Amino acid sequence: MSAAPQSRWLLFGVGALAAVAALLPWLITGARLPLQNFWSEIPSAVPVVLLPFSQYAVSLIFALLMVGSAAAGLAGRLLGARTARFGTTTLAAGVVLVQLLAVVQTALVLSTLLPDETAAIVYLAGLTGGALVTVLLGALATVLIARAPRAGAVIGFTAGAVALGSWVAALIVPFGSVPDGYPFLLTLVQWVAPVLTGAAIAWAGLHTPGRIVAAVGALLIVWVAPAAMTGIGSALGTRVYATMPAEMLDYGWNVFLLALLTPELALRPIIATLVTAAVGLGIRALLARRRRAAASA
């Protein structure tokens, strides 16, 4: 089925709009460039940037980009992007274009405010490279959600769900502010990824080997991804290791293993995902039984 030109433009606009909307948790802060450890003094006019380039905001950068990609994929699937000629490609292009503009604009602004030394160059390259990798992973998530069979879509949904937890937390407590008065909401945030992943597994079902593999893969992502983000964030956010990359890597690895293998941290998301999936699959089976009964009657 070929898409009319306006349909392709619609999908491109939907992708771009999703990418822009996903920046909301950062934009509501005023979007001023975060303080940098390389600054000997704060610039008189701190510029506006589209992404919070800082070693303390790595998980937030990931969330801002990945949530936009996943939202675009979901919108594309609902709009039937896979049935339109180049529909998914156009949708993903809208997301990627906006996100690349955000990465480039932020990197260029930051580059003018960093000292001309090796450590600062490595710092900027690391943040820029990490953001670009996230854009690529996000594009994959967009395609999986919008176009892939349900097994592939589950993986894309899971990536978006993991990022959504940090995204919602940044809405509740904007970057740079002090958490105060929202303990209940912040407690609920930790269940966002497991519940949404379990719902995605239930939506896909377990009727084929591919869907079973996808469900297992989703469980692994829910288990490993938060621990990886904790390890990376802890390592990059520790100033004492800023000039000691080997020690920083070792520290991050140890934090990752601690978050991954501590039962009270690791089992909760896995159990929550399994329970949500089981409930969803049970409801799905009940509805299917009722439909069969109504058809036979």
Side-chain angles (χ1 to χ4, degrees):
M1 176 179 177
S2 298
Q6 61 268 28
S7 298
R8 289 196 290 272
W9 279 112
L10 172 64
L11 291 171
F12 181 87
V14 166
L17 181 61
V20 172
L23 300 177
L24 180 62
W26 170 240
L27 297 179
I28 62 175
T29 68
R32 296 290 179 179
L33 182 67
L35 298 179
Q36 305 293 319
N37 289 338
F38 291 95
W39 288 350
S40 56
E41 60 181 37
I42 300 176
S44 56
V46 180
V48 171
V49 291
L50 296 178
L51 288 173
F53 268 23
S54 168
Q55 70 268 38
Y56 306 113
V58 172
S59 61
L60 177 57
I61 295 170
F62 173 81
L64 295 173
L65 296 173
M66 185 59 72
V67 167
S69 300
L74 176 59
R77 195 172 191 98
L78 294 176
L79 292 173
R82 58 181 173 175
T83 64
R85 186 183 182 189
F86 303 121
T88 306
T89 302
T90 306
L91 176 74
V95 183
V96 171
L97 177 61
V98 171
Q99 293 181 342
L100 286 180
L101 287 174
V103 173
V104 171
Q105 185 268 345
T106 306
L108 289 176
V109 170
L110 181 56
S111 67
T112 64
L113 296 173
L114 289 177
D116 187 16
E117 56 185 59
T118 301
I121 295 173
V122 171
Y123 169 77
L124 177 60
L127 288 173
T128 305
L132 290 175
V133 169
T134 304
V135 171
L136 292 176
L137 292 175
L140 177 60
T142 300
V143 173
L144 286 175
I145 296 172
R147 187 178 184 85
R150 293 198 178 196
V154 166
I155 300 301
F157 278 130
T158 302
V162 170
L164 188 61
S166 298
W167 192 89
V168 173
L171 269 184
I172 299 171
V173 182
F175 179 76
S177 61
V178 178
D180 182 26
Y182 306 102
F184 177 68
L185 292 178
L186 290 175
T187 300
L188 291 180
V189 166
Q190 64 181 315
W191 304 111
V192 169
V195 170
L196 291 182
T197 301
I201 293 172
W203 165 77
L206 300 173
H207 307 303
T208 66
R211 295 183 185 185
I212 294 173
V213 170
V216 174
L219 282 173
L220 288 174
I221 293 173
V222 168
W223 175 39
V224 175
M229 289 195 297
T230 299
I232 293 171
S234 298
L236 294 178
T238 305
R239 293 186 63 178
V240 69
Y241 295 130
T243 58
M244 298 180 286
E247 289 79 356
M248 179 187 290
L249 181 61
D250 183 63
Y251 176 70
W253 177 253
N254 289 331
V255 172
F256 165 69
L257 291 179
L258 183 66
L260 187 71
L261 301 177
T262 301
E264 53 267 32
L265 295 176
L267 290 180
R268 283 185 300 179
I270 295 175
I271 293 173
T273 302
L274 289 172
V275 169
T276 304
V279 172
L281 289 169
I283 294 173
R284 179 174 174 166
L286 178 62
L287 293 176
R289 191 178 302 116
R290 287 183 176 180
R291 285 195 298 268
R292 288 195 297 268
S296 62

